């Protein structure tokens, strides 16, 4: 995905430091200039949100995060804002660029209050700027920083965190003891992976990217945000087929007694994308149910009228149906976990030489296979939720950071496309790249919406022939459909703002 804008890159703290250091040491833009750019962009945003003349309290540590805060304070003071700056660790051991910015601040004629935490007297402030610890934090927050965070989180005024909320791990999104609950996070140079993992999504507030002068050659992401604009830009034009079979067929192998709803949702979801042909393959004993619910969908029953789940003896019949027209398979919705059905599923996966989307109960059957060898020409897309991911690869997944790393690792090692459902949803590719949703996707945990997502992914895979694009469009389109039913106002759904 070479055309993805750099503004959607997600970087670790180490990658951010790399860009900063290389820009300074090799490219020739000094750190003080980068700090000035960062502070200027952040000040521009804050003044767009806060009324001129308002009183801001700036909490500062002693590193460069504090230097960014001092640039903002200086610029806002020139625009009529009242400024109070509180240093958590005093001013004796500031970083060189931060000390230089403190000197500039002290040259101003405006009355700016400077104090230490021990002298802090809570007053009436209109907004807060968190410039305490930044991306370098790797252990639990200690006093007096934890005390300052406790006070900040009790206030009912806007909180602007600089680069990352103090107490949030920039890579994992884990809370390190305690964390600033930000209304806005002004991320300098690159978005941080931790904003979208674990507690980061609910802690960072609205994320604002403040671009810095980093050359593109230094930008190496750990993941990328999925956004409709760039997905549309990298997608080939979709042409409407002249007849229903021209674009291929999506075969959905689904259903067992009591679990027919999953196949219905997946088939309807796929059909709504505009596919020419969706064929539902199901045990004959369930045909009457599907005839009533899926008028537009072609149904291909297998077995006898009294059979309500798949058996290994159905394999040859199913493969014959699939061989009639070229297409792709979605297998799993509502299959059930009978031993005969598990053996049926495993046999399909071993013997079908083509593209297969493996979902739901088919993932369980896959996890029970001793080896996952498949035909050389067969591509797989797997769509596990966190529990299924753990079972599939027999590894502990403690949180979203573990899930991200495991998804990247297994997609690369097993040469598959892996869509790990959750919050965020993560797409791992055969090249080891990863893509994350930057919006609320917990809705996919509701019963039935995994089937909606599977139908969308299968349909878009047929449309674009790209498993990656299939996952991106499936997540974007599937979420939009889910939102119509269950979400009136889910909060952070707007795209990332770039200033």
């Amino acid at each position: 995905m070479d055309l993805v804008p750099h503004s959607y890159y997600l970087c670790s703290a180490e990658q951010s430091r790399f860009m900063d250091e290389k820009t300074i040491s090799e490219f020739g833009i000094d750190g003080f200039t980068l700090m000035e750019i960062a502070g200027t962009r952040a000040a521009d945003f804050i003044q767009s949100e806060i009324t001129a003349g308002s009183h801001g309290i700036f909490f500062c540590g002693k590193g460069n995060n504090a230097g960014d805060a001092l640039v903002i304070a200086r610029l806002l003071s020139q625009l009529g804002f009242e400024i109070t700056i509180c240093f958590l660790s005093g001013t004796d051991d500031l970083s060189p660029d931060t000390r230089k910015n403190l000197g500039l601040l002290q040259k101003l004629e405006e009355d700016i209050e400077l104090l230490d935490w021990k002298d802090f007297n809570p007053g009436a402030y209109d907004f807060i700027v968190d410039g305490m610890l930044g991306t370098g934090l790797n252990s639990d927050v200690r006093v007096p920083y934890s005390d300052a965070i406790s006070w900040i989180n009790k206030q009912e005024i806007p909180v602007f965190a600089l680069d990352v909320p103090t107490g949030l791990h920039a890579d994992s999104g884990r809370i390190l003891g305690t964390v600033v609950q930000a209304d806005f996070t002004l991320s300098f140079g690159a978005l941080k992976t931790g904003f979208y993992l674990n507690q980061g999504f609910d802690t960072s507030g609205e994320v604002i990217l403040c671009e810095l002068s980093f050359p593109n050659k230094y930008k190496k992401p750990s993941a990328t945000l999925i956004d409709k604009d760039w997905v549309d830009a990298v997608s080939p034009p979709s042409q409407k087929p002249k007849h229903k079979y021209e674009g291929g067929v999506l075969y959905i192998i689904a259903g067992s007694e009591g679990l027919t709803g999953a196949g219905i949702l997946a088939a309807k979801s796929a059909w709504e994308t505009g596919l020419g042909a969706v064929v539902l393959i199901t045990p004959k004993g369930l045909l009457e149910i599907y005839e009533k619910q899926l008028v537009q969908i072609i149904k291909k029953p297998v077995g006898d009228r009294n059979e309500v789940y798949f058996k290994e003896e159905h394999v040859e019949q199913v493969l014959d149906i699939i061989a009639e027209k070229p297409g792709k398979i979605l297998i799993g919705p509502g299959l059930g976990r009978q031993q005969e059905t598990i053996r049926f599923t495993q046999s399909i996966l071993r013997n079908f030489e083509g593209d297969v989307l493996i979902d739901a109960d088919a993932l369980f059957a896959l996890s029970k296979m001793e080896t996952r060898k498949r035909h050389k020409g067969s591509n797989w897309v797997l769509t596990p939720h966190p529990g299924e991911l753990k079972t599939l690869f027999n590894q502990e997944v403690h949180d979203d950071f573990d899930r991200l790393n495991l998804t990247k690792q297994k997609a690369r090692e097993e040469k598959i496309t892996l869509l790990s459902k959750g919050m965020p949803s993560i797409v791992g590719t055969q090249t080891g790249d990863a893509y994350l949703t930057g919006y609320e996707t917990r809705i996919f945990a509701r019963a039935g919406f995994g089937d909606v997502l599977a139908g969308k992914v299968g349909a878009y895979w047929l449309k674009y022939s790209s498993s990656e694009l299939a996952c991106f469009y499936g997540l974007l389109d599937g979420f939009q459909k889910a939102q119509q039913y269950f979400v009136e106002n889910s909060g952070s759904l707007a795209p990332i703002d770039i200033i």
Side-chain angles (χ1 to χ4, degrees):
M1 295 293 174
D2 295 333
L3 297 178
V4 178
H6 295 109
S7 52
Y8 293 100
Y9 281 5
L10 302 180
C11 294
S12 65
E14 183 180 354
Q15 289 165 331
S16 296
R17 283 192 292 272
F18 172 84
M19 288 187 290
D20 196 71
E21 291 169 1
K22 288 295 184 180
T23 301
I24 295 169
S25 63
E26 292 185 3
F27 197 68
I29 299 177
D30 62 80
F32 185 77
T33 300
L34 291 174
M35 187 176 287
E36 186 72 14
I37 295 170
T40 299
R41 297 199 176 212
D44 287 344
F45 179 78
I46 292 173
Q47 69 154 328
S48 74
E49 295 289 324
I50 303 296
T51 305
S54 298
H55 189 176
I57 172 72
F58 290 66
F59 290 98
C60 295
K62 55 186 180 181
N64 285 345
N65 200 239
D68 298 324
L70 295 179
V71 174
I72 298 166
R74 167 166 51 84
L75 296 173
L76 292 183
S77 74
Q78 303 301 288
L79 298 172
F81 288 82
E82 187 177 352
I83 304 296
T84 295
I85 299 173
C86 179
F87 289 94
L88 275 294
S89 299
T91 58
D92 291 338
D93 194 25
L94 300 179
S95 70
D97 287 338
T98 300
R99 173 160 297 284
K100 186 174 180 180
N101 266 304
L102 177 59
L104 293 179
L105 198 69
Q106 292 170 328
K107 291 181 179 181
L108 299 177
E109 296 180 355
E110 281 70 24
D111 185 15
I112 296 174
E113 183 180 17
L114 301 176
L115 49 86
D116 291 343
W117 173 252
K118 60 183 175 60
D119 300 318
F120 177 65
N121 182 23
Y125 301 103
D126 300 306
F127 66 97
I128 297 167
V129 173
D130 164 24
M132 290 185 282
L133 296 178
T135 61
L137 186 66
N138 285 302
S139 59
D140 282 358
V141 178
R142 302 174 183 175
V143 293
Y145 293 89
S146 57
D147 294 334
I149 291 173
S150 178
W151 181 85
I152 289 170
N153 290 342
K154 292 175 184 176
Q155 309 311 302
E156 296 183 356
I157 55 177
V159 177
F160 299 87
L162 303 185
D163 218 15
V164 64
T166 294
L168 185 72
H169 194 278
D171 298 355
S172 69
R174 296 167 184 155
I175 293 175
L176 298 172
T178 185
V179 67
V180 168
Q181 295 290 333
D183 295 290
F184 301 93
T185 295
L186 305 169
S187 187
F188 299 133
L191 303 175
K192 311 304 183 289
T193 311
F195 297 154
Y196 306 98
L197 301 174
N198 296 313
Q199 291 79 31
F201 188 82
D202 295 319
T203 298
S204 303
E206 183 179 350
V207 177
I208 310 299
L209 175 60
C210 298
E211 291 273 26
L212 298 183
S213 304
F214 297 150
N216 289 342
K217 63 181 179 179
Y218 300 141
K219 297 177 181 178
K220 304 183 186 303
S222 57
T224 303
L225 274 187
I226 298 170
D227 177 83
K228 191 174 187 307
D229 287 341
W230 73 252
V231 172
D232 286 343
V234 301
S235 301
S238 179
Q239 295 181 349
K240 190 173 182 179
K242 295 177 182 178
H243 57 82
K244 63 181 180 181
Y245 295 120
E246 183 186 28
V249 177
L250 179 64
Y251 296 97
I252 301 178
I253 304 174
S256 61
E257 189 173 32
L259 297 174
T260 53
I264 291 169
L265 286 171
K268 285 184 174 180
S269 177
W271 180 258
E272 287 172 353
T273 64
L275 283 186
V278 177
V279 174
L280 177 69
I281 303 174
T282 191
K284 187 173 284 187
L286 305 175
L287 182 60
E288 185 177 354
I289 297 172
Y290 290 122
E291 290 282 18
K292 293 177 180 179
Q293 296 290 330
L294 299 172
V295 178
Q296 305 96 330
I297 306 300
I298 300 169
K299 276 77 66 177
K300 293 281 189 176
V302 297
D304 298 328
R305 289 188 178 278
N306 63 343
E307 291 180 319
V308 292
Y309 58 86
F310 286 101
K311 302 176 182 179
E312 194 169 10
E313 63 198 58
H314 299 148
V315 170
E316 186 175 348
Q317 191 177 357
V318 169
L319 291 175
D320 286 343
I321 292 170
I322 295 168
E324 292 174 4
K325 300 280 192 309
K328 302 184 190 300
I329 291 177
L330 161 57
I331 184 169
L335 281 184
R337 296 187 179 182
Q338 296 88 349
Q339 286 302 313
E340 290 180 281
T341 303
I342 290 173
R343 289 193 292 271
F344 160 83
T345 303
Q346 292 172 340
S347 184
I348 292 289
L349 295 177
R350 281 193 297 265
N351 290 288
F352 178 67
E353 187 174 0
D355 296 337
V356 188
L357 172 58
I358 307 171
D359 183 55
D361 291 327
L363 290 169
F364 180 78
L366 179 65
S367 72
K368 299 299 181 182
M369 293 176 69
E370 292 185 7
T371 62
R372 292 182 186 145
K373 289 184 179 180
R374 61 188 189 273
H375 279 282
K376 187 176 181 181
S378 182
N379 295 306
W380 284 1
V381 174
L382 277 57
T383 59
H385 58 57
E388 292 168 335
L389 186 72
K390 175 182 175 181
T391 301
L392 267 173
F393 301 112
N394 195 28
Q395 286 190 222
E396 289 297 324
V397 181
H398 297 102
D399 62 12
D400 292 330
F401 189 56
D402 289 345
R403 190 161 59 89
L404 170 63
N405 290 330
L406 182 60
T407 298
K408 292 171 67 173
Q409 174 194 343
K410 292 302 180 181
R412 182 184 66 253
E413 289 178 353
E414 301 202 9
K415 297 302 178 184
I416 57 177
T417 301
L418 193 52
L419 195 171
S420 173
K421 292 179 287 194
M423 177 63 200
S425 292
I426 304 167
V427 178
T429 72
Q430 296 183 25
T431 58
D433 296 322
Y435 300 83
L436 275 65
T437 53
Y439 51 88
E440 175 67 76
T441 53
R442 278 173 279 217
I443 197 166
F444 287 129
R446 289 180 178 265
F449 278 101
D451 306 307
V452 171
L453 177 61
K456 296 293 185 190
V457 174
Y460 283 113
W461 195 7
L462 200 62
K463 274 190 167 187
Y464 292 107
S465 299
S466 163
S467 58
E468 296 173 16
L469 287 176
C471 291
F472 302 157
Y473 274 119
L475 286 165
L476 292 165
D477 195 6
F479 172 71
Q480 186 177 33
K481 182 169 179 59
Q483 187 185 29
Q484 292 173 1
Y485 289 101
F486 290 106
V487 181
E488 293 181 2
N489 184 2
S490 60
S492 303
L493 297 177
I496 295 298
D497 290 321
I498 302 172
I499 64 172

